[in-house]
Amino acid sequence: MPTTSTDPRAAAAALLMPGTICHGFAVERCETVPELDSDAYVLRHTASGARLLYLACDDENKAFAIGFKTPPADSTGVFHILEHSVLCGSAKFPVKEPFVDLIKSSMQTFLNAMTYPDKTIYPVATTNEQDLYNLMDVYLDAVFNPAIYTKPTIFEQEGWHYKLDLPEGAEGEDGDSSASLREGTLRYNGVVFNEMKGALSDPMSVLDDAVNAALYPDTAYAHESGGDPRAIPTLTYEQFLDTHARHYNPSNSYITLYGDLDVDRALSFLNERYLSQPSAASRRMDAAVAAGEDPSTLAPNPLGVQAPVTCEYKRVEMATTPENALVGLGLVLGSALDRKRTIAADILFEALLGSNEAPVKKAVLAAGLGGNVVSYTAAESLQPYELIMLQNAQPGVARELRRVFQDACRDLCEHGVPRERLEAIISSNEYDLRQRDYGIADGVAIACDALSTWLYDDDAATLALKYGPVYEELRGELDGSYFEGLLRELVLQNDHMALVELVPVDATEGSEGAEAAELAAKRDAMTDAELANVVERTAVLRAAQEAEDKATLPRLRVSDIGEARPEPPLVVDTTAPIPCLRHGIPTNRLAYAMQYFDLSCVAFEDLPYVTLLCRLLKQLPTSEHSAEELDNLLAGKLGFLSFTTEVMTQPDVDGVRPYLLVSAGALSEKIDALASLPHEVWSSTLLLDADADRVRDVLTQIRIGLEQGFINNGHSAALGRAMSYSSPSAVVREQLSGVDFYLFLRDLLDHFDERLDDLRAKLAELAGRIFVADGCLASFTGSDEDFNAYWAAAGDLGLGAGDGADAGRDALVVPTPCDRHEAFIIPSDICFAASACDPRRLGIDVTGAWAVAANALSYDYLWNEIRVKGGAYGCGFRAAGERQTAFYTYRDPAIDPSIERVARAGEWLGSFEPDEAAFEGFIVSCVSGMDAPVKPYALTKRRNTTYLAGLDPHAREERRAQMLAATPGELRSLGTDVTRIAAESPTCVFGGRDVIAKSNAGFNVIDLLG
């Protein structure tokens, strides 16, 4: 059962008095952090030098993190490879994949590790305190005593190794002749190697790396911390071990504890189990000193400050499509410890570039230099920087971008940055801070935030967390010229900046040409003995990968799972002017209002226009406000306002119901704006008079975003497309946001001028038909007081019967799905593949036991076969409720081997015989995923989806009970159905030209991006 103390803040106050010693930790200071409703304690382990920050608060979602300062000295990706490798077994837990074992056996609400440009962090979170200690134990032994020192195969698997692919018909690995070896194709393989091939297929990542190299040429930030695939194979095993020994020691560590936990027990655990004990790294260091090595050479890599440098222009070439041309302007902001300056710069550049109505972005778009301009503040480094990025750039416009950008900023310095815009951005940020929706467990996000200052100054452990006074001070600066002065310093007087242009070039021989030539030369230079050794090492690695684990990790039992967290009932309030789903969920003085507008009144061929309508609303003027006024008003009065589409699969396998969803959130004190502003936007936007340039800019930005999604998240695109081969709901999604929508959009942009008038008329006609009371369902989350105030101000939302009532709700006729067996070429060196279907089409009933089976397949069979052996970065099997099953791979170096392994998944499940503890672990992790705390907005949307998709309101409870009751025999009985799903689910691939060309699966190949 989850354990909690009665008052964690009081318990910590009684135990951790500044100036005292507790379990070897000196308590240095205590601070209240009102922004997080917590008390922060800063401690130092006296014997080892480990730093510790404890944030005492009543959050049941407890967290632990340990981080290390890891600035790279080159681009071999050694710290990224270490991040993967230390989680592949340790002295105390000698299992192959403890990270995966924890995912499939614990109640974790977060479990991962992250490599940053100057640090590596290992965070976990869970609602169960015993589970937290289990996770801490495994992670701490992993980082301090990893198996990498005795198992070089870990380095080969996670980092890189040679693999010799022998020609078909050649002798097997046990009897290769010299001739066969000479005919083989030598290649690199490794999880990080393949991951970075995918990551660096993204032009934005390549540009960011180039900007960093130009801004910080003499520091660690000049290197690719994740690893450059051209440099990764230069890393040796000895260098790998040496780097771990120099950096993974307590004196170079930063530990965070967060939440409602027994801190006395936690400190005792840390002290006795790890910080007072010698580690594998310390033993290697001691041996080096004993052997006569100079101790100064054993120190961690330095992290130095870069003296100001100016890069007037740098050209970077990349084999990618012409649309991916980019220009980046990097501006160093100052020191990470100057929080006021960094936050002010973030607010300032958001005000200048954060929307199409922002003054500087408007100037750049008007100059016709590219399709979009965006900026972001990179605050998690010693010297934060701002990157202004022009997307879809015209050739040779780098210097012109800088001129237009600086001229626009100069004008604002002279005439003033609009105060209503700055104030709106500050208000929007404060809304986000109150909402505290980090997208991950709060304690994990906070631990990472703390390191954005703590890493650079031991006295700055809480500096990044105490933002309240900074915002208060910045509000006061609105009355003076602070922001104009800052803009002048950062843009017009900055001597630490860089201008970089990424130029697409044609790669006629494929993006892997240089690597293939290099490897061919290496093979030719190898002796027969060296080639035989490559084959032998591959066999040794494969044997290690296939070896059975004899050790186990600490596990929770099913009996450790508490009762399901009760949710307040969903009430359909028919007393409101519009039928309303009412959610009684605590929201920290926030309110969320939604309206679902039925799209069954829209013809299938018109659905892409609905997406355009959603994206253009908020971007165009209304009858009451100019576009710029509206932009400021929405940012200042609302936390967010979004117009999106959602497709609800229905109980009938062929049933589909799409909606246009209007979502908004606001502070409780701004309920009137929540009631009035969304209605103003949907009802009075001037669609018939839409400015051509503004519309073209928005459409171009949508296109750029879709293309980035295909490159970076191709597995999602492949899953959606594969589902559309058999599911009417997925067919509709493709028309609204997938490949079909993308092709529609490209054609529209190609013929924009001739179709503009028709586009305006179509959008206006659709708005009049969609935004009516007929088919509209509202949703509200907030206090009773806010609910009553909202409807008192909103009335009937201005919705009349409109044309929708006359047109009826049966205009949507969805085409019959068919298997297109497509492979879409994208600029990449890897691929994403998916096979998906609605199991109801196969007569398969997906119960809660399927979730346990999906866990076992994803983190046992598929992980070992496709990630560990195949080198893909990710893979899995999904059984999402009763209406979708899918296999997928992510950043995969090859297509056919993964397809073959997927085909054998059912056979593996049919012979699945886990021990009792391991099987309980699968159940525990599945149930904990359902029980994990959910933020109010996400919970609202989930409950609304249940209602609109016609799901049984008790389906989650039933599914949870089925998970708890699952047995190994029940999972084995699903093997036949899994084989059917693998065989009968259509497949779709997004990948590089070279990878697709090597497949024998007979895909219909489409050059998606031209």
Side-chain angles (χ1 to χ4, degrees), residues 84-146:
H84 283 240
S85 299
V86 301
L87 294 172
C88 290
S90 65
K92 185 176 181 181
F93 305 109
V95 298
K96 290 186 300 179
E97 297 280 358
F99 173 74
V100 182
D101 285 354
L102 290 173
I103 289 177
K104 65 189 183 185
S105 65
S106 74
M107 292 185 69
Q108 55 86 18
T109 54
F110 184 93
L111 184 79
N112 212 331
M114 295 88 82
T115 303
Y116 291 80
D118 57 12
K119 53 186 166 285
T120 309
I121 307 176
Y122 298 84
V124 299
T126 177
T127 56
N128 183 289
E129 187 153 346
Q130 182 54 51
D131 195 34
L132 182 70
Y133 287 99
N134 293 347
L135 297 170
M136 288 169 59
D137 205 10
V138 174
Y139 261 45
L140 287 163
D141 204 57
V143 297
F144 290 130
N145 303 298

Side-chain angles (χ1 to χ4, degrees), residues 250-404:
S251 64
N252 192 41
S253 71
Y254 301 77
I255 299 170
T256 303
L257 295 168
Y258 168 90
D260 183 359
L261 53 84
D262 183 348
V263 69
D264 184 56
R265 179 186 177 190
L267 295 179
S268 174
F269 174 89
L270 289 166
N271 174 56
E272 294 175 9
R273 297 280 187 92
Y274 290 100
L275 299 183
S276 296
Q277 303 298 325
S279 67
S282 65
R283 286 190 288 270
R284 181 179 175 90
M285 297 286 280
D286 291 343
V289 172
E293 245 185 272
D294 182 353
S296 66
T297 66
L298 304 177
N301 294 341
L303 181 60
V305 175
Q306 175 66 55
V309 294
T310 298
C311 172
E312 290 292 342
Y313 176 77
K314 178 180 179 180
R315 174 188 169 102
V316 177
E317 294 185 350
M318 180 182 182
T320 187
T321 58
E323 293 89 345
N324 282 324
L326 298 168
V327 176
L329 178 62
L331 306 167
V332 174
L333 305 179
S335 166
L337 301 177
D338 189 344
R339 293 296 294 169
K340 177 182 176 182
R341 186 179 178 89
T342 301
I343 292 173
D346 184 48
I347 292 168
L348 179 61
F349 285 108
E350 176 68 17
L352 303 184
L353 291 154
S355 74
N356 285 4
E357 294 308 312
V360 176
K361 182 168 185 175
K362 187 184 292 187
V364 174
L365 293 177
L369 305 180
N372 192 24
V373 61
V374 297
S375 74
Y376 66 86
T377 306
E380 294 180 330
S381 61
L382 179 59
Q383 294 167 280
Y385 67 97
E386 190 76 22
L387 179 59
I388 295 93
M389 187 180 299
L390 180 69
Q391 299 174 308
N392 197 191
Q394 296 297 311
V397 299
R399 293 179 177 85
E400 181 65 6
L401 169 68
R402 180 172 57 194
R403 185 194 67 77
V404 171

Side-chain angles (χ1 to χ4, degrees), residues 15 203 215 227-228 316 432 455 457 474 510 556 814:
L15 179 72
L215 289 175
D228 184 333
V316 177
D432 291 339
L455 192 79
D457 187 336
L474 289 175
L556 294 180
V814 181

Side-chain angles (χ1 to χ4, degrees), residues 406-421:
Q406 290 179 336
D407 285 351
C409 291
R410 184 176 292 107
D411 182 70
L412 290 167
C413 289
E414 294 174 0
H415 298 96
V417 180
R419 285 307 184 262
E420 64 275 11
R421 187 158 196 86

